[in-house]
Structure formats: structure tokens, C-alpha cells
Amino acid sequence: MEIDTDVLVVGAGVAGLALSILLRDLGVRTLTIAKHRGTATAPRAHITNQRTMEIFRDMGIEEQVKDLSTPLKDVGNFVLTTNMTDRKQEIARYSCYGAGVDQLTSFTKASPCEMMNIPQHILEQVLLKRASGEGSDIRFYNELLRIEETMGNVSARVRDRHTQAEYLVRARYVVGADGANSLVAKQLGIPFLGESKVMSMVSSWLEVDLTEYTAYRPAAIYFLLAPGNAYWVGSGTCVIVKPFTEWILTKQYEPEDGEPDTSDEGMIEHARKVLNLPSDFPIHVKNSSKWQVNNIVATTYRKGPVFLVGDAAHRHPPTTGLGSNTCVQDAYNLAWKLALVVSGQATEQLLESYNRERQPVGQVVVSHAMQTLHNMAKVPQTLGFQRGQSVEEGYASLEELFYADTLQGEKRREQLEEVVRLQHRRSNALGLQLGHRYNSTDPNSCAVVDDGTPFPEHKLDPVLFYEPTTHPGAYLPHAYVEYENRRISTLDIIPHGKFGLFVGVSGKVWHDAMLELSHEVGVEASVHTIGHRCDYNDVLGEWTNLREVRDTGAILIRPDRHIAWRCIRRPDNPTEALRVAFNRILGNSSKESAPKPLVGDALKSIL
């Protein structure tokens, strides 16, 4: 049997399912295969940030996700403790995920969406339901055996594990979304930067009612510490699955000391010990597994007609909650580009921009996750916990830390406060979550057209604070405007999967130019007038304060909501300006025909 398709997606986890949905919505023939019997069977990832919720909003599943989630602001603490059941043993606590009084404004201003806590096994079910139906072809328990490029296309040999029958898939493009042990990446021989198997971990998914010990200090994560343990992750972490009765309990182990007991009895014994629960306290193990912490990113996300997305491309500790979010955002970047190339509206050059834009993001995310892991390791160090020390020695160190009326005690308390503040980079990294900027001056990436101006310099810490801009390569800023007597976000104006052009009082001129050009380039872009008394009435002046262009200017937004091009003021020939921009974006122009950066007096004249 042979199957012909436009895109073969290998893997049906968060990245693969998200990509399958987006490609189907854009009319791309897609076959998705996965070697497993179904979606994830355990929680794993759980943090869903605002940018990913915006993508789910665009995909039409935001409400379904929210219905099955816990808003992170409702569990917006991070608790460090030596004992889950004795509140007097709490080490420290800080507000995170936008829940703190000093964070609420920043997180709320940045997006119309909230951060959510949704376990991966539930999120994948939502994605699968959205991906299924007419026009979809998703085959679980179908395993990729090998792939090879033949005459510009890709041939893939697949085995149906139900029947053991093999069949051939011929596709124009293949996307490896097959996770941390990606066969696609291995068969392509794509090299990775970094270090694999940095840490060995074991996790257990438990049904255990900890309401009495947690509801008064609701947190997504409880960081457990104990004397005699100086691991990077302390004695373990207790991650919320369902408030406050289901948890993931994770611990680090050293393989040279022997493999951990992953039986139900072994997991229950460990849980009772680190959670300090009595022997008759009910605990049920739903799942347990061993896994590795990695610190690697692919040197390239593309090799010819084959691409990598999600964990197939970047693998890092779960400390920052960026893993599944980066997976979805990879898919959001790639889908519209594949759709335009498959339809013949864009050239292959557009596809290279996926690698040029997302690979640097992967590097940043992996590096940041490792840094936050090192930051967490400073907590037991600051407490004076060391491997091999006795329980008495550990608690004596805590006694001095919290109660010593000495200069040494005061100094140690200040050090603890400093180390706790450092953890905000793990749980309150709003700038890192929302502020990715694609390079507008990369000559090998055509999906962003440079306007000759530099990106605005960061005024605040770019990890902790999001500073919106409409500079080409940035994400479209969120602002509320009024449309037909209702409030609407700028992120909700452009139809799903389409380009959009935001203009001001010169709306008709730009609309006529776009109408003329759409027939020529074959790509539609909806035109929207935003400003005071425009169709989208900027009654509060929020958009005017963010747009960074004049009333007659224009901002072209890509289907993934990143800024493709802008002009500060209306040029003499708007149609030609749009033509040059679109030809550049679609890969239909040479580097020489791209708009030349403005300098000196020419730049000053438009500002």
C-alpha cells in the first residue's frame, strides 16, 4: 500500500497534534502517525502560558482548555518546605504565574488570556478531539521505520503495529514531532548542542488527599528539602495535577547508587517519607516512570524537506514550564509557511525562516531552563544542607538560619531572601514567555521585512518583564479596542490562518492597495482600521500608545501574529510598498530587491 500526502507528521503529542490541527485548517493534506496506542497516559507537562493560550484561542479551543484547567493564579504560590504536613517547617514562599499583587498588572496588561495549569494527558485529549473529524488522518500505533529523500520528496516506511503490515508514505514534507528520542532526528543525523542525561529522575502520579496541608497555601509546585540532600531538585518536587488530591511526586537519583524501586509499594514508601504522612494515610499510585533531564537543542530544525518541532528539536529540564509551550509555538510558526508553499503561493525560501526563527528560541529556552535548575540548587546550599550530613546537623543549620541573633544569622537570612528572589526567573519569566523577537535583518530569513529601525532597547529585565513593540519580528501587542459596542483584543481581530493589515485614518487607501495586490500575489490579507473613531475604536488609547507608527502608517501581521512588515507613514505608492513586502515574505524576491534599511536623514524623516 502507498499513501500520497502533502505533509507527514511523525508524532501525535502536543506538538504533532497542534501542527495537525493547524495544517488541516489551512487545507493541507496531512497524515499523522504515532507509535503509541494513544495520547499521553500520565500528566507530565502542566504549565500553559499566556502565549500558548492565545494560540489555543486562535485555534478555537481556549474555552475547552480552560474548562479542564486550574487557573494558575488560583495556585499561584511556590512553596519551599522541609515538611509538607507541618506548616512550621515551611522555608519560604513566593507568588508566581501572575498571582502576586506586584505581578497582576503586568500579566493582565500583556494578554487577554490567563495562564493555566492543565496536565498533558488532558491537554492532548483536547487537541486530539479538535484534530479529529472530516479531513483528518491520525493513526496511532503506526510506527515510522525509516525515511529517505527521493527526487525532492520524502519516502517513509511505516509499520501498522496492530497488524504488523508495512506501507509506504510519499510526502512533500515530513515533520518530526516524535519527542525526545526522535527517530526522525536520528535518521537525518542532525547534530545537537549541549549535554544529554544530565540527571536521572523518577516520577509517580499519586492519588493522595493533601487538602489539609496545601489548600491554605495553594501552589502549583511544592519544593521539598531535607537535611543530607543537596540535589539540584532538593528531595523532590510535588506538582499539582488536581487540587488537592492528585499529584506528581518527582525525585532525583544516582544510577551508580542503584536503580530506584518503581513498584507501587516503593513509590508509596517514598511518598510517605518525603511528605511525612502516617503509615495508614491512603495513597494510590496511578503511574510511575523513570526519565532523564536533558540539556540539548538541534543545531538546525530543518534538513531539506524534513523539519523538527517540539521535543524532537529541544530538550531541557521542566523547571520553567516552557516545554510544551515551545512545542505549540513551533507548530504555530511552521504551519502557515508549509501551507503557503504547498499551495504554490510561496517558494521554498519561506521554509528556511522556520529554522532561522525557532532554533534561536530553542537555544534560549534550553539555556534558561538549565540556569533556573542551577538557581534551584542554591536553595539547599543556602540552607546548609549537604549530602551525607545527619538529620540533626541539617536541622541545626536551619535553627541558626532562622533564629540566630547574630551577624552570621542575619547574613544567612539575607542570602536566603536573595536566593528566593532568584527563583522568580523560573516562575515569573513573563518577558521570556511573551517577548521572543525574530531577527529582521537575517539575510537568510525572508518572513520578516526589516524597516531600517532597531528594536527598542529593553528598559527592564527582558526575562521578567514583557515590553511590547510593533517592530518587524515582534509579536503583535495586545490592546483592547471597541468594535460593534463590544471590547475586543487586537489579537482577536485577524481571522484564523490569515495575514492582517492594521491601518489608521488612511484605511481606504490601504484597503484598495491590498485588494489590488491580493489578486496579484494570491494571498489575502484582511485590512482593519484601528484608531480613534475608526472601525475598531481605540477609545482608551491603548493601541495608539503601542503601535509605534503614525496615523497614516500600516502594520502587516503574519498568520502566527508576528509582525511581518510595517511602515511608519504612508508611502507615495502603498501598493508598491506592499508588493515589495509580500514578495520578500513569500520568497519571490532576491535579497537585492528587499527594502533597503533607512539611515541618517531618511530615517529621521519618517519618525
Side-chain angles (χ1 to χ4, degrees), residues 348-361:
E348 289 278 335
Q349 187 180 353
L350 177 60
L351 296 178
E352 180 56 25
S353 69
Y354 167 70
N355 173 56
R356 308 294 291 199
E357 292 178 349
R358 294 305 298 174
Q359 198 276 343
V361 171

Side-chain angles (χ1 to χ4, degrees), residues 199-508:
M199 296 165 53
S200 297
M201 308 292 294
V202 60
S203 295
S204 54
W205 176 14
L206 306 175
E207 275 187 3
V208 53
D209 189 351
L210 300 178
T211 303
E212 179 183 351
Y213 314 113
T214 57
Y216 73 92
R217 50 176 178 180
I221 300 174
Y222 296 79
F223 189 64
L224 308 175
L225 301 137
N229 192 316
Y231 280 137
W232 277 353
V233 291
S235 298
T237 52
C238 197
V239 179
I240 198 166
V241 176
K242 180 181 178 182
F244 293 96
T245 58
E246 289 188 23
W247 306 86
I248 291 288
L249 185 61
T250 299
K251 71 170 182 176
Q252 182 183 351
Y253 70 94
E254 298 290 351
E256 57 266 30
D257 295 337
E259 292 298 313
D261 182 359
T262 56
S263 67
D264 286 1
E265 293 77 13
M267 292 291 95
I268 290 173
E269 180 182 356
H270 170 69
R272 291 197 197 284
K273 180 180 179 181
V274 300
L275 299 177
N276 196 38
L277 298 173
S279 59
D280 59 348
F281 200 93
I283 303 176
H284 171 64
V285 179
K286 302 190 72 170
N287 181 277
S288 61
S289 61
K290 294 186 294 184
W291 50 284
Q292 301 289 331
V293 170
N294 295 301
N295 169 31
I296 56 176
V297 61
T299 58
T300 179
Y301 285 15
R302 180 194 185 195
K303 190 170 184 180
V306 184
F307 303 84
L308 300 180
V309 299
D311 288 355
H314 42 79
R315 304 153 202 177
H316 56 82
T319 47
T320 54
L322 293 172
S324 61
N325 294 284
T326 310
C327 293
V328 172
Q329 291 158 30
D330 287 346
Y332 202 48
N333 181 288
L334 180 59
W336 67 273
K337 297 173 181 178
L338 280 172
L340 286 175
V341 174
V342 165
S343 67
Q345 295 168 294
T347 70
E348 289 278 335
Q349 187 180 353
L350 177 60
L351 296 178
E352 180 56 25
S353 69
Y354 167 70
N355 173 56
R356 308 294 291 199
E357 292 178 349
R358 294 305 298 174
Q359 198 276 343
V361 171
Q363 284 190 292
V364 169
V365 167
V366 170
S367 176
H368 178 74
M370 283 303 299
Q371 184 58 57
T372 61
L373 196 60
H374 284 287
N375 292 346
M376 288 301 298
K378 295 179 181 181
V379 176
Q381 294 171 8
T382 304
L383 300 181
F385 290 173
Q386 302 173 17
R387 292 200 70 184
Q389 74 183 165
S390 68
V391 172
E392 291 76 17
E393 290 172 332
Y395 280 109
S397 176
L398 285 185
E399 186 77 13
E400 180 195 54
L401 170 64
F402 285 111
Y403 302 113
D405 186 13
T406 63
L407 290 177
Q408 173 66 12
E410 182 178 346
K411 180 179 180 181
R412 289 190 64 197
R413 288 188 287 275
E414 290 174 351
Q415 289 173 338
L416 178 60
E417 291 175 1
E418 181 180 343
V419 167
V420 170
R421 281 195 298 271
L422 194 60
Q423 308 315 313
H424 284 277
R425 304 184 77 79
R426 165 193 175 122
S427 309
N428 290 311
L430 183 64
L432 188 67
Q433 294 169 15
L434 305 185
H436 294 305
R437 297 172 170 183
Y438 298 149
N439 188 353
S440 62
T441 60
D442 185 345
N444 297 306
S445 182
C446 65
V448 175
V449 183
D450 186 42
D451 70 348
T453 67
F455 268 108
E457 291 187 7
H458 289 288
K459 299 177 182 178
L460 302 168
D461 186 324
V463 170
L464 296 176
F465 298 96
Y466 170 56
E467 297 174 87
T469 174
T470 65
H471 190 282
Y475 198 86
L476 175 65
H478 155 67
Y480 280 119
V481 294
E482 191 170 274
Y483 180 70
E484 295 182 348
N485 297 325
R486 62 188 178 91
R487 189 176 74 162
I488 184 173
S489 169
T490 48
L491 299 179
D492 296 331
I493 294 174
I494 302 169
H496 176 53
K498 301 293 185 182
F499 282 89
L501 189 69
F502 282 6
V503 298
V505 295
S506 300
K508 187 177 187 309

Side-chain angles (χ1 to χ4, degrees), residues 76 94-108 424 428:
Y94 68 92
S95 298
C96 51
Y97 308 123
V101 292
D102 56 338
Q103 303 155 8
L104 284 170
T105 299
S106 296
F107 279 72
T108 302
H424 284 277
N428 290 311

Side-chain angles (χ1 to χ4, degrees), residues 143-161:
E143 181 179 16
L144 175 71
L145 300 178
R146 62 182 179 274
I147 58 173
E148 59 181 5
E149 185 178 355
T150 55
M151 300 179 64
N153 292 327
V154 184
S155 296
R157 175 64 59 178
V158 179
R159 176 189 292 134
D160 184 334
R161 299 179 71 185

Side-chain angles (χ1 to χ4, degrees), residues 520-540:
E520 178 183 324
V521 300
V523 176
E524 294 182 10
S526 54
V527 181
H528 308 276
T529 58
I530 308 178
H532 187 58
R533 294 196 177 187
C534 291
D535 292 341
Y536 292 86
N537 196 350
D538 188 21
V539 290
L540 298 176

